[in-house]
Amino acid sequence: MAKDYTQLAEAVVAAVGGSENIVSVTNCMTRLRFVLKDDSVPDEEAVKAIEGVKGVMNQGGQYQVIIGTHVSNVTPVVRRIAGLSEEAAAGVRIDKVAQGTVFDRFFKTISGCITPLLGPMIAGGILKGLLTLCSTFGVLDSASGAYQLWYAAADAVLYFMPIIVGFAAGKVFGANPFVTAACGAAFLYPNLVSAVGEGATFFGIPIANTSYANTLFPTILASFLASLVEKGAKKIVPEMVQLMMVPVIVLAVTVPVSWLAIGPVMNALSSAISSAVTWIFAVSPTLAGVLLGAFWQLVVLLGLHSMMIPILINNITTMGSDPLNAVLGLTVWALAGVSLGYALKCRGEKRAEGITDMVTCLFGVTEPTIYSIALPQFKCFMAAWVGGGVAGGILATLGARCYAMAGDGLFRIPAMINPEGIDISLYGFLATMLVAFAVSAVISYIVTDCDK
């Protein structure tokens, strides 16, 4: 029989200021992620005191209530009690977010545009890795119809990202999402792409010959422009013809501006971000790997890890691979090792808790280990820093790269497979994840105090 989370949901909704203070609510693996009109309304201690709540974080423009791995069952109940429709629950209308710093508002905007993509994008990354394995070991011919169908399913979200992001961004900016999706589709329109490649101009102005497949930021900015044009058009177009004429004006203005200015500028920015990441790893890959491998889970603890997602996606779509995300995947294995060391040292319920937390880490969820082991016994957290730092330094020195957005733990392994053939990225990751696991487990076993 399914557990009833009504009481928990009612208490959380009331504690964060009631339905009138909630703009949207989503969830990750363990947390309810609220976007609130006013983040200062909730009493943090009161929220923490609710039975079933394990902690609270207010970072990156989101008020995060830590529930546990059953959070996906709690979220729909919270939405129902808060009176949010399914569409409104996940959509962050930026014009409704009145409070917060410029950074918070910016993060909420980017998060609202990207969050809907994460599930299918991660699924596509895992599927691509599995297809590469099947092709490498002769299970599937890469020219076969089965391979091509599955690869299309895996790659479609990335290739058609401008359309999908355009739809999500339209909701965020309060514009017609079908019109902003059409603006994104114009970036991919085959005849236009072909004409641009042959030197097409717009009334004598050269159109940059750039590919926008797999791109993220150009469509977000283009959708923002479309929202401004739409709002302006509605002020001057008679209401009786707005349904037809407003989209005409939006498309006629936004698509040329996007191709002539927004696209080239944002592609240059995307390349600059990717180049900066590459430069950091080129200057000192070992140091970069040590720092990321050691301290990434502190970023997770602060609830700021989601703000890195646009950078990780940008690196994948711009360069085809990402050294940053390769190292970050090791930190989960370090915490899994901490859980094992804790379990081996202790007995009874604590041993069972350690084993459960380890299994959860292997499936990509680290919060149970962080909150039940690493924070109460901080030396265990330091054990994860050592294990993750050592492994991260080795993997970065080897030059490993992650080739797709994917889950963590075991689900990260397929993303480390180079589509052109298995190389050091996979072999190095398999070796260093065991290093992170073993080093952290040994140190955790030594420093664990089972009496605490």
Side-chain angles (χ1 to χ4, degrees):
M1 183 176 179
K3 187 173 181 180
D4 185 2
Y5 295 106
T6 301
Q7 186 174 351
L8 171 61
E10 288 176 342
V12 171
V13 169
V16 299
S19 58
E20 62 274 12
N21 194 41
I22 300 174
V23 176
S24 71
V25 59
T26 56
N27 66 271
C28 58
M29 292 292 189
T30 60
R31 308 179 187 197
L32 288 168
R33 292 176 173 268
F34 290 95
V35 174
L36 303 177
K37 293 179 181 178
D38 187 348
D39 293 347
S40 66
V41 170
D43 181 340
E44 185 172 317
E45 294 305 317
V47 178
K48 288 180 179 178
I50 297 172
E51 184 178 354
V53 172
K54 298 182 178 181
V56 173
M57 296 298 301
N58 187 10
Q59 298 286 347
Q62 293 182 332
Y63 196 88
Q64 303 168 29
V65 181
I66 303 161
I67 300 295
T69 52
H70 57 287
V71 68
S72 59
N73 295 321
V74 178
T75 306
V77 186
V78 170
R79 289 174 176 167
R80 173 173 56 81
I81 292 170
L84 295 173
S85 66
E86 193 68 25
E87 181 176 296
V92 182
R93 279 282 299 275
I94 195 61
D95 56 344
K96 292 184 178 180
V97 182
Q99 304 294 324
T101 63
V102 172
F103 170 78
D104 284 347
R105 290 170 63 84
F106 174 77
F107 178 75
K108 289 172 184 178
T109 302
I110 299 299
S111 177
C113 295
I114 293 174
T115 299
L117 281 74
L118 294 182
M121 186 178 295
I122 290 172
I126 294 172
L127 186 54
K128 276 187 180 180
L130 295 175
L131 285 172
T132 301
L133 278 177
C134 289
S135 176
T136 301
F137 292 106
V139 177
L140 275 178
D141 184 347
S142 60
S144 68
Y147 182 97
Q148 295 298 327
L149 280 172
W150 276 323
Y151 192 86
D155 196 47
V157 172
L158 280 178
Y159 185 85
F160 294 106
M161 186 179 290
I163 301 174
I164 302 171
V165 170
F167 188 82
K171 294 182 178 180
V172 170
F173 295 125
N176 183 328
F178 294 98
V179 175
T180 51
C183 293
F187 278 126
L188 305 173
Y189 192 69
N191 288 354
L192 179 56
V193 171
S194 177
V196 168
E198 296 172 0
T201 64
F202 182 76
F203 293 108
I205 303 173
I207 304 175
N209 183 13
T210 305
S211 172
Y212 294 103
N214 304 325
T215 58
L216 174 70
F217 296 119
T219 306
I220 292 177
L221 190 55
S223 298
F224 177 65
L225 172 62
S227 72
L228 298 180
V229 175
E230 180 178 308
K231 291 179 176 67
K234 286 182 176 179
K235 294 179 180 179
I236 61 175
V237 175
E239 187 172 344
M240 63 181 297
V241 293
Q242 282 186 2
L243 179 64
M244 297 175 292
M245 294 309 300
V246 169
V248 169
I249 296 172
V250 172
L251 291 172
V253 172
T254 304
V255 172
V257 173
S258 298
W259 271 91
L260 294 171
I262 292 176
V265 170
M266 296 310 293
N267 265 2
L269 177 62
S270 298
S271 298
I273 293 173
S274 299
S275 297
V277 172
T278 303
W279 178 80
I280 292 171
F281 275 82
V283 170
S284 180
T286 304
L287 179 60
V290 168
L291 293 176
L292 288 169
F295 301 118
W296 173 246
Q297 289 300 326
L298 281 177
V299 179
V300 175
L301 175 63
L302 293 173
L304 294 175
H305 52 298
S306 293
M307 76 181 214
M308 288 292 293
I309 291 175
I311 295 175
L312 302 180
I313 294 176
N314 179 71
N315 290 341
I316 293 289
T317 57
T318 303
M319 300 185 293
S321 60
D322 181 20
L324 187 68
N325 212 9
V327 173
L328 300 184
L330 295 172
T331 63
V332 175
W333 290 89
L335 283 170
V338 163
S339 301
L340 178 62
Y342 177 88
L344 293 176
K345 186 74 171 283
C346 299
R347 296 289 187 273
E349 290 184 3
K350 290 188 175 181
R351 169 167 289 185
E353 179 183 50
I355 295 297
T356 300
D357 287 351
M358 181 190 71
V359 173
T360 305
C361 283
L362 295 180
F363 284 93
V365 182
T366 58
E367 281 91 345
T369 297
I370 291 175
Y371 287 99
S372 64
I373 298 176
L375 286 182
Q377 302 212 27
F378 203 73
K379 289 181 180 178
C380 288
F381 210 167
M382 297 173 69
W385 298 351
V386 175
V390 170
I394 296 172
L395 188 64
T397 302
L398 292 174
R401 306 179 77 88
C402 182
Y403 290 90
M405 292 295 295
D408 276 315
L410 294 168
F411 298 117
R412 178 59 58 92
I413 295 174
M416 301 303 299
I417 301 173
N418 187 338
E420 297 181 1
I422 296 176
D423 59 12
I424 193 61
S425 292
L426 177 61
Y427 297 134
F429 185 79
L430 292 175
T432 52
M433 76 183 196
L434 296 177
V435 170
F437 184 82
V439 171
S440 300
V442 170
I443 299 176
S444 175
Y445 180 86
I446 294 170
V447 302
T448 291
D449 181 357
C450 295
D451 294 328
K452 285 187 176 180

